[in-house]
């Protein structure tokens, strides 16, 4: 017997050297972000063709891996952190969040139970309580009241948990034993994110029992139409159980009237979930806290620091007003997970607050972010983007060739050229092919609309000025080539 390990691990000293090299690689990437074409230009299959058929039998040096990162992987990257990335909503990364993630990986903690790492649970509970105050969320969401918050991977998972809890509450927590004896129904606006439909499908309610409620001229849910749909379903013998209100819709950042929607939910006894995936972060600024008007009527709520609060993917904060409803929905306790702290009921076991059993120490990255930037730094981050967005909106308004296609609420400008859909589609293709910026599109009233979302960690005024110049120049060129 020797005490030499049969596997060739890095020694701590080798790890130190390799770690510095990797941090250098990331730092160099961040320094040179602007130089890459924003949207990857590779053809399907191009990355795989460069990878060997089988992994190496013997281990390789880090230098070889880093060389392949540059040669093979980087060309296949769409640069989400580039300051000229305006497509989708942002997925903010930041150096303190990256470092928090490194520490999380280093600790290698799996925080399914309080007892499997008390700090993993308690830091998370504490930070989520901080955020209740910082975002002006209802006190009921704090752990000291009957509610509480938990970090989920994504808003999609949060919405799924909300739908499952709503289903259980509506069926006396018996749906799993008895099945759905009376069909359930769920409601969201026609602008709600596709994750609501997915969740309703997974929960067994049935996608065809999700009612997509009409919106008003600002693309916000009409509470009168919601009320109407609920009554019609009741009369038809169905059991309405769940409503999702969206605060900051994906297409145009529309804000549903949560207070009025909540009043309808209370009247009919439905679970109200508020999806503020992007817009919730804005509430860290007092002047944008109105986005949370009415959330005190919600049973659950989520927002994504991984979208607009400088915290690397994945990080969604999910809150419930009554944690017992959620825990009762999701808890399953095999013998091997029993332990003294849990049995005493003195602790949170976050495995009961989401679908997976295991969980990473994600609170670390959020903690690093909150401590590095401070509240004031995060407020400046949001205000900076809203300011740039308003500037771009003004340029669109002033330009005779373009017009705004939807109200500008926070950090998204939806606009189109005055020519037809084909022209706008070609314009979008040319812009994205230029590599100078990345935009996405949506459809409004059947027409193609360009979306320019400003939220990059490193986006400055000079970037949006350059983007607008590029857009106008490309439109002029295209128009010159068309009758
Ligand atoms: N809800 C809204 C309003 C969104 O805009 C998005 C994504 O953009 C989502 C939910 C889904 O987010 P996630 O990727 O965290 O599931």
């Amino acid at each position: 017997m020797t005490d030499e390990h049969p596997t060739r691990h890095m020694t701590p000293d080798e790890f130190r050297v390799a770690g510095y090299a990797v941090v250098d690689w990331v730092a160099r990437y961040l320094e040179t972000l602007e130089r890459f074409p924003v949207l990857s230009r590779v053809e399907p299959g191009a990355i795989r063709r460069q990878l060997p058929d089988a992994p190496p039998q013997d281990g390789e040096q880090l230098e070889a891996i880093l060389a392949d990162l540059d040669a093979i992987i980087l060309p296949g990257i769409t640069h989400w952190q580039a300051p000229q990335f305006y497509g989708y909503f942002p997925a903010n990364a930041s150096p303190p969040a990256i470092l928090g993630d490194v520490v999380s990986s280093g600790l290698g903690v799996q925080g399914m139970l309080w007892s499997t790492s008390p700090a993993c649970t308690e830091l998370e509970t504490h930070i989520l309580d901080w955020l209740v105050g910082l975002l002006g969320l209802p006190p009921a969401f704090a752990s000291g009241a009957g509610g509480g918050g938990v970090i989920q991977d994504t808003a999609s998972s949060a919405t799924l948990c909300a739908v499952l809890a709503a289903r259980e509450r509506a069926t006396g927590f018996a749906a799993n034993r008895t099945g759905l004896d009376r069909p359930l129904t769920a409601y969201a606006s026609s602008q709600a994110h596709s994750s609501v439909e997915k969740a309703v499908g997974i929960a067994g309610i049935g996608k065809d029992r999700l009612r997509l409620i009409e919106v008003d001229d600002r693309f916000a849910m009409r509470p009168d139409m919601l009320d109407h749909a609920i009554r019609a379903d009741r009369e038809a013998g169905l059991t309405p159980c769940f409503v999702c209100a969206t605060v900051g819709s994906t297409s145009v950042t529309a804000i549903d009237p949560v207070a009025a929607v909540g009043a309808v939910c209370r009247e009919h006894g439905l679970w109200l979930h508020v999806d503020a995936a992007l817009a919730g972060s804005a509430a860290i600024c007092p002047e944008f806290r109105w986005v949370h008007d009415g959330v005190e009527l919600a049973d659950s709520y989520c927002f994504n620091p991984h979208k607009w609060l400088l915290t690397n993917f994945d990080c969604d904060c999910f809150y419930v007003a009554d944690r017992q409803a959620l825990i009762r929905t999701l808890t399953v306790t095999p013998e091997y997970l029993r332990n003294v702290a849990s049995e005493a009921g003195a602790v949170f076991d976050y495995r009961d607050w989401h679908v997976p059993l295991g969980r990473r120490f994600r609170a670390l990255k959020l903690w690093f972010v909150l401590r590095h930037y401070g509240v004031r730094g995060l407020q400046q981050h949001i205000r900076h983007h809203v300011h740039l967005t308003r500037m771009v909106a003004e340029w669109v308004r002033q330009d005779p060739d373009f017009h705004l296609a939807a109200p500008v609420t926070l950090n998204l400008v939806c606009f189109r050229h005055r020519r037809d859909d084909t022209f706008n589609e070609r314009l979008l293709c040319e812009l994205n092919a230029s590599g100078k910026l990345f935009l996405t599109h949506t459809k409004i009233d059947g027409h193609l609309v360009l979306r320019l979302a400003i939220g990059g960690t490193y986006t400055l005024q000079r970037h949006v000025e350059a983007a607008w110049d590029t857009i106008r120049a490309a439109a002029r060129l295209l128009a010159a080539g068309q009758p």
Side-chain angles (χ1 to χ4, degrees):
M1 284 284 276
T2 89
D3 62 0
E4 211 164 278
H5 212 284
T7 305
R8 204 199 68 78
H9 295 299
M10 281 185 191
T11 63
D13 275 338
E14 285 171 336
F15 177 71
R16 224 168 248 126
V17 173
Y20 295 148
V22 170
V23 169
D24 273 346
W25 188 92
V26 176
R28 191 158 30 84
Y29 173 67
L30 295 178
E31 263 167 7
T32 52
L33 260 179
E34 278 182 53
R35 297 192 205 147
F36 299 100
V38 184
L39 191 62
S40 169
R41 290 172 164 166
V42 300
E43 298 293 327
I47 305 300
R48 289 199 65 182
R49 267 196 298 280
Q50 299 176 74
L51 298 170
D53 291 340
Q57 287 297 324
D58 295 312
E60 297 177 280
Q61 296 298 315
L62 181 75
E63 291 73 29
I65 304 173
L66 291 182
D68 282 350
L69 262 184
D70 286 321
I72 302 175
I73 303 301
L74 268 186
I77 293 294
T78 285
H79 299 279
W80 281 74
Q81 303 309 319
Q84 318 93 308
F85 182 101
Y86 307 107
Y88 310 113
F89 281 147
N92 277 178
S94 72
I98 296 168
L99 296 177
D101 247 358
V102 170
V103 176
S104 169
S105 296
L107 291 173
V109 155
Q110 205 276 59
M112 58 189 173
L113 301 167
W114 175 88
S115 61
T116 60
S117 252
C120 181
T121 296
E122 293 196 16
L123 182 67
E124 187 161 327
T125 308
H126 202 75
I127 290 180
L128 272 87
D129 278 353
W130 275 356
L131 286 168
V132 169
L134 288 181
L135 301 182
L137 290 169
F141 287 168
S143 64
V150 59
I151 299 180
Q152 304 251 351
D153 52 4
T154 59
S156 303
S157 295
T159 299
L160 173 61
C161 290
V163 171
L164 292 170
R167 182 193 72 186
E168 290 305 298
R169 196 176 74 176
T171 57
F173 295 85
N176 267 276
R177 270 179 283 119
T178 60
L180 298 176
D181 50 355
R182 271 205 302 170
L184 303 179
T185 50
Y187 307 81
S189 94
S190 59
Q191 301 291 308
H193 190 262
S194 55
S195 51
V196 181
E197 183 182 341
K198 200 177 203 178
V200 168
I202 295 170
I205 291 173
K207 290 182 183 180
D208 56 338
R209 298 221 178 81
L210 171 65
R211 314 297 190 219
L212 295 181
I213 305 300
E214 239 174 79
V215 293
D216 62 18
D217 56 358
R218 296 182 68 82
F219 308 98
M221 191 198 288
R222 283 185 49 186
D224 58 330
M225 298 307 284
L226 172 67
D227 185 63
H228 189 265
I230 293 171
R231 288 178 195 280
D233 282 334
R234 278 250 157 83
E235 274 163 30
L238 305 168
T239 303
C241 76
F242 174 84
V243 176
C244 177
T246 308
V247 169
S249 66
T250 317
S251 229
V252 300
T253 46
I255 313 275
D256 286 345
V258 179
V261 168
V264 174
C265 292
R266 286 277 164 102
E267 185 187 342
H268 295 285
L270 271 63
W271 183 290
L272 172 62
H273 175 64
V274 174
D275 172 4
L278 170 93
S281 294
I284 199 155
C285 302
E287 68 271 30
F288 302 129
R289 214 154 277 165
W290 55 265
V291 299
H292 286 155
D293 285 353
V295 172
E296 63 281 2
L297 296 178
D299 295 284
S300 57
Y301 164 92
C302 74
F303 88 104
N304 287 356
H306 72 224
K307 279 192 173 6
W308 202 13
L309 215 59
L310 293 167
T311 308
N312 287 47
F313 193 87
D314 51 354
C315 185
D316 167 273
C317 295
F318 175 55
Y319 289 93
V320 285
D322 170 15
R323 59 179 176 261
Q324 287 315 325
L326 180 70
I327 292 170
R328 213 172 145 193
T329 298
L330 296 175
T331 193
V332 178
T333 304
E335 187 53 39
Y336 47 81
L337 292 180
R338 290 192 186 281
N339 66 86
V340 176
S342 301
E343 302 288 309
V347 297
F348 285 175
D349 290 325
Y350 276 135
R351 72 185 175 108
D352 294 332
W353 294 55
H354 52 41
V355 173
L357 170 66
R359 58 198 328 271
R360 297 193 299 119
F361 198 166
R362 280 181 292 226
L364 276 173
K365 60 187 169 192
L366 199 46
W367 193 46
F368 273 49
V369 165
L370 284 162
R371 296 191 61 178
H372 172 84
Y373 291 100
V375 176
R376 263 194 282 278
L378 295 173
Q379 289 171 338
Q380 280 156 359
H381 170 71
I382 298 288
R383 283 182 185 131
H384 169 62
H385 293 140
V386 174
H387 168 70
L388 295 181
T389 307
R390 289 178 180 167
M391 267 176 41
V392 174
E394 197 46 40
W395 296 336
V396 175
R397 265 188 218 105
Q398 303 287 332
D399 194 305
D401 289 338
F402 290 91
H403 65 94
L404 291 175
V408 175
T409 317
L410 290 166
N411 70 332
L412 176 67
V413 185
C414 292
F415 67 104
R416 53 182 268 124
H417 195 275
R418 294 198 183 272
R419 294 204 180 199
D420 61 7
D421 276 6
T422 314
F423 184 91
N424 279 283
E425 202 172 338
R426 283 193 56 197
L427 177 61
L428 179 66
C429 285
E430 303 236 339
L431 288 169
N432 287 342
S434 77
K436 292 181 185 166
L437 75 174
F438 175 50
L439 306 179
T440 50
H441 76 278
T442 186
K443 283 221 163 145
I444 298 182
D445 297 331
H447 289 297
L448 189 123
V449 164
L450 279 60
R451 292 173 77 262
L452 189 152
I454 298 175
T457 305
Y458 305 106
T459 303
L460 296 171
Q461 182 165 332
R462 69 179 164 85
H463 297 113
V464 294
E465 282 170 355
W468 184 237
D469 285 348
T470 305
I471 293 167
R472 282 199 314 171
R476 272 198 300 269
L477 254 181
L478 203 58
Q482 280 193 359

